Amino acid sequence: MHPASAVRNFLLRPAIITTSTLRATTKTTTRTMASSCSSSSSSSRYEKIPSTQIRILRTVPSLRLFRRPHLLDHRSVALVPTMGALHAGHLSLIRAAAKENHHVIVSIYVNPAQFGISEDLDSYPQTWESDIEQLAKLDRELADDGSNLGRISAVFAPSTKEMYPSGFPGQEIDSKGSFVNITPVAEVLEGKTRPTFFRGVATVCMKLFNAVQPEKVYFGQKDVQQTVVIKKMVKDFMLPVEVVVGKTVRAEDGLALSSRNVYLGQRRRKVATVLWRALRAAEAAYLEKGKRRREEILGAAKEVVKEVEREQERLSPKGRVRFEVDYISLADPESMQELEEVDVERGGILSGAIKMLPVEEPREGEDLGHSGGPAVRLIDNIILEPREEVKA
Ligand code: AMP
């Protein structure tokens, strides 16, 4: 055994086996072993995505039962946490995970704790049938591509009762319960507008990491502050897991793919690229024009936003799109605190959030988007990579 694996296994074991889970696991193991010995078709007793070997696991004991032999066999397990409504961005993370791990577990769980009380929990797209179809298709693709180490082995789709065994603590800011808070990084930017968001994310990720015990977890750069929060949680709580960040997958016009894009409808979808264009302008000010100061870099982004606002104002209510900028930020890559000037050797993160407001006057038969086209908050970012400064 590689010494690093030995250390990892040693670290993983005490967390997996508490006395109660050991009891539950042992009982189920006995049952499963008995049934798997009884007939060669016993594996069909497990719930699976039709026509695949992908197991559907709904409880933590069943997940642990599935996980344990891979730990003992030194087969690496990756976790890709999602809230479902899968799109090419999620699939790219699963592909990356299958390249470098023997088993990929995709979790699909819409975690209520990361939605504020007035947010879109009730209308959040839930597309189970399409999700499992996409996973089955991707798994066939992975099987045909010999360069992968593994495939999708399981989907973990728990209920809220399963994820919050002491009862769901609520979505309010002052809810009481077992929460993970990563401050101050979770208090700025997204955390300022959505004060319970990162508490919900960090808490559910801690639960998922403890339940799955993955060697690696895969997150998208699309939610860059989330990756910073999760990396900090892993570092500060000494979790034995590696955080891998996959590039943002975009539509042809640059809009970052997001499960929430379905709310936009055609009219707003066209204008929704404004944030990406603004961030690109800021990036160009930094990379191409050599600007380093905040006002110069963010000034370029704000110019793009103003120009698009002016264009839209010239249109009638039946044609125009309105949006509000929540923030456009230039922040430190580790603390997410705002920067006055970029230190080239440290780099920075350009990020932003805009709220696409509902269409004022719909045209006859106009496609307004999922749930009648409510206000949609979009986020995006560009990383200014650190590099060695060439001294004159
Ligand atoms: P969600 O289902 O929205 O919670 O996202 C699950 C994971 O997919 C997160 O790590 C996201 O950052 C990632 N993700 C979402 N959209 C994209 C995208 N366009 N490109 C790459 N990763 C993404």
Side-chain angles (χ1 to χ4, degrees):
M1 190 193 307
H2 189 280
S5 320
V7 171
R8 183 189 298 284
N9 290 344
F10 177 75
L11 287 171
L12 283 165
R13 271 177 211 174
I16 295 180
I17 307 176
T18 61
T19 35
S20 56
T21 57
L22 182 60
R23 246 180 274 124
T25 310
T26 315
K27 251 193 262 160
T28 342
T29 311
T30 319
R31 252 201 326 270
T32 314
M33 278 171 64
S35 61
S36 63
C37 292
S38 63
S39 90
S40 58
S41 65
S42 62
S43 63
S44 61
R45 287 175 193 209
Y46 298 118
E47 193 185 354
K48 285 189 181 147
I49 295 182
S51 315
T52 73
Q53 288 303 312
I54 305 172
R55 297 259 295 268
I56 300 174
L57 306 169
R58 298 188 187 274
T59 65
V60 174
S62 69
L63 177 65
R64 289 199 162 127
L65 197 61
F66 168 82
R67 171 65 174 106
R68 183 134 183 87
H70 304 315
L71 182 66
L72 300 175
D73 293 346
H74 310 294
R75 300 268 136 189
S76 60
V77 170
L79 170 67
V80 182
T82 82
M83 296 207 296
L86 300 183
H87 52 64
H90 299 114
L91 302 188
S92 74
L93 296 179
I94 300 170
R95 272 194 201 94
K99 273 250 170 316
E100 38 191 41
N101 298 275
H102 297 102
H103 297 278
V104 181
I105 300 181
V106 178
S107 65
I108 296 186
Y109 176 59
V110 182
N111 171 35
Q114 67 192 66
F115 288 76
I117 35 177
S118 54
E119 287 179 6
D120 58 346
L121 174 62
D122 291 338
S123 67
Y124 193 83
Q126 301 222 27
T127 57
W128 176 254
E129 290 305 323
S130 145
D131 291 351
I132 59 171
E133 249 175 56
Q134 291 187 67
L135 292 177
K137 192 164 165 242
L138 175 59
D139 195 53
R140 284 194 291 276
E141 175 200 306
L142 294 174
D144 291 343
D145 174 356
S147 67
N148 296 302
L149 192 57
R151 289 170 61 177
I152 306 169
S153 298
V155 176
F156 181 49
S159 63
T160 290
K161 203 162 158 247
E162 192 68 22
M163 289 304 281
Y164 292 88
S166 306
F168 181 62
Q171 295 164 260
E172 289 79 13
I173 294 178
D174 60 358
S175 290
K176 303 283 177 251
S178 305
F179 289 122
V180 180
N181 279 307
I182 311 294
T183 59
V185 63
E187 294 170 318
V188 294
L189 303 169
E190 285 304 286
K192 197 163 180 192
T193 314
R194 308 177 69 193
T196 56
F197 176 61
F198 287 119
R199 180 184 73 180
V201 168
T203 301
V204 82
C205 285
M206 178 69 97
K207 287 166 184 275
L208 289 170
F209 295 1
N210 283 335
V212 177
Q213 305 268 324
E215 265 82 22
K216 294 188 183 184
V217 284
Y218 291 75
F219 288 89
Q221 188 201 312
K222 154 83 178 16
D223 300 280
V224 70
Q225 192 179 0
Q226 173 168 281
T227 67
V228 176
V229 168
I230 296 298
K231 280 184 184 167
K232 191 130 179 72
M233 178 179 91
V234 164
K235 179 179 173 189
D236 289 349
F237 288 94
M238 294 161 271
L239 302 178
V241 66
E242 184 186 331
V243 179
V244 183
V245 178
K247 284 213 159 62
T248 304
V249 177
R250 300 178 180 280
E252 253 175 41
D253 62 359
L255 184 71
L257 299 190
S258 161
S259 306
R260 288 191 166 96
N261 290 352
V262 296
Y263 292 121
L264 286 170
Q266 264 183 11
R267 190 195 312 189
R268 293 189 300 169
R269 169 63 187 81
K270 281 189 199 140
V271 182
T273 53
V274 55
L275 177 58
W276 169 237
R277 287 185 276 150
L279 294 173
R280 283 290 295 260
E283 181 193 39
Y286 174 75
L287 285 182
E288 291 161 28
K289 299 190 186 133
K291 307 289 185 202
R292 297 290 173 264
R293 294 199 54 76
R294 174 183 187 81
E295 315 82 69
E296 294 170 322
I297 295 173
L298 293 188
K302 286 174 187 159
E303 261 317 301
V304 172
V305 170
K306 272 200 211 118
E307 181 51 39
V308 176
E309 276 170 347
R310 281 195 289 267
E311 264 167 39
Q312 294 301 313
E313 271 162 24
R314 287 196 285 270
L315 302 173
S316 76
K318 273 204 168 2
R320 74 181 166 210
V321 171
R322 292 169 314 145
F323 60 90
E324 286 167 1
V325 175
D326 186 353
Y327 63 83
I328 295 192
S329 151
L330 172 62
D332 178 83
E334 267 178 47
S335 68
M336 296 304 286
Q337 301 302 310
E338 293 303 307
L339 291 176
E340 279 312 311
E341 189 165 351
V342 183
D343 170 353
V344 174
E345 293 185 3
R346 204 170 154 76
I349 296 177
L350 287 165
S351 67
I354 57 169
K355 194 186 205 178
M356 305 297 293
L357 300 175
V359 158
E360 284 164 281
E361 284 189 27
R363 292 188 294 265
E364 214 178 294
E366 185 173 356
D367 154 36
L368 295 176
H370 181 69
S371 292
V376 193
R377 202 162 166 284
L378 301 175
I379 59 171
D380 205 345
N381 67 85
I382 291 177
I383 295 179
L384 305 177
E385 297 290 351
R387 41 174 204 209
E388 265 179 44
E389 191 151 35
V390 187
K391 301 249 159 45

